[in-house]
Amino acid sequence: MSKASDVQNATTRYLMYGLLPSWFVPGVADWAMHRRTRIEETSGTKESLIHSLMMAEVGLPIALTLVCEVNPLLLTVQLGAAGAHEATALWDVRTAVHSDREVKPIEQHIHSFLESLPFAGLASLMCLHHEQVRSLLRGGRGDPDAWRLVLRRDPLPRAYLAGIALAVGGCVALPYAEELLRCLRGRRRRRAKDRNTSDHLERIAS
């Protein structure tokens, strides 16, 4: 086996069993910080929906990469999603800071991992598929499959895909669904309290 093949295999293992699984750790930690600072009583539903948007911006290109061949179209999707995720992350922090929720230094440090990991993964993938990067720079000329999604010719193991799906459900979908539900309930409580206060003031005025 050549040294190039060794590097390729090592990079693939790093992406599959190192970088991608490690992504779940700061994701859960960030959710815990939101819960600790009572997001449902401060920035509320707006910030929670922003979190859902960021998960979609990261989740879609990852899902496509797991089942599709890397080509200029997929690289374009990944680059666009990475840029959108960074812009949304700035919006997220601005929303939290302008609310009553305290963004503690440890949460800011967690954010640094969540922002850098997409670029680390994309950079590694582009090194692994450098020929597709060159094709992208040429506009995909000469490649009939450059601008369409193509299922992997050598699919990833089903057990691995199932493990990732379970991890996404347990470490991302469920915690952040719980957060959004908590924020929606908090918003209903505040609206009910405001209505009761308004009714009480009207009775006093009358």
Side-chain angles (χ1 to χ4, degrees):
M1 185 178 294
S2 66
K3 290 183 178 180
S5 296
D6 290 341
V7 172
Q8 185 178 32
N9 290 336
T11 304
T12 301
R13 289 195 297 271
Y14 159 71
L15 287 170
M16 291 177 61
Y17 302 106
L19 189 142
L20 183 54
S22 69
W23 217 321
F24 301 124
V25 177
V28 173
D30 199 37
W31 166 82
M33 291 302 302
H34 302 158
R35 187 178 181 87
R36 182 178 178 182
T37 54
R38 304 191 67 80
I39 185 175
E40 69 275 13
E41 296 179 3
T42 52
S43 53
T45 305
K46 179 180 179 180
E47 188 183 358
S48 186
L49 287 172
I50 293 174
H51 297 157
S52 298
L53 175 60
M54 287 193 292
M55 285 185 286
E57 290 167 345
V58 169
L60 176 62
I62 288 178
L64 291 175
T65 303
L66 291 174
V67 299
C68 295
E69 291 288 337
V70 176
N71 62 8
L73 175 58
L74 186 53
L75 288 173
T76 301
V77 171
Q78 292 164 338
L79 288 166
H85 181 266
E86 183 64 20
T88 308
L90 293 173
W91 181 25
D92 173 45
V93 174
R94 187 180 297 110
T95 299
V97 169
H98 289 172
S99 72
D100 294 329
R101 190 170 79 81
E102 181 184 4
V103 182
K104 298 179 179 293
I106 187 171
E107 183 177 345
Q108 296 177 23
H109 193 58
I110 291 169
H111 287 172
S112 69
F113 283 97
L114 291 172
E115 290 180 44
S116 61
L117 285 172
F119 291 102
L122 182 54
S124 297
L125 194 71
M126 292 174 77
C127 290
L128 192 61
H129 297 276
H130 52 87
E131 72 285 351
Q132 294 301 326
V133 176
R134 288 198 296 268
S135 178
L136 174 61
L137 295 175
R138 295 194 302 267
R141 289 193 298 272
D143 183 357
D145 293 333
W147 299 107
R148 67 186 187 93
L149 293 175
V150 180
L151 292 178
R152 281 180 172 269
R153 288 180 283 274
D154 185 15
L156 295 176
R158 291 184 179 179
Y160 174 79
L161 295 176
I164 292 296
L166 287 174
V168 169
C171 298
V172 179
L174 287 179
Y176 283 92
E178 183 273 339
E179 175 184 286
L180 180 57
L181 180 61
R182 189 160 24 95
C183 289
L184 290 170
R185 288 173 175 171
R187 183 172 67 177
R188 285 197 296 268
R189 286 194 301 268
R190 287 192 297 274
R191 287 180 174 178
K193 183 179 179 180
D194 290 342
R195 283 196 299 269
N196 292 336
T197 301
S198 178
D199 292 342
H200 178 66
L201 293 175
E202 287 179 2
R203 285 194 297 270
I204 293 174
S206 61

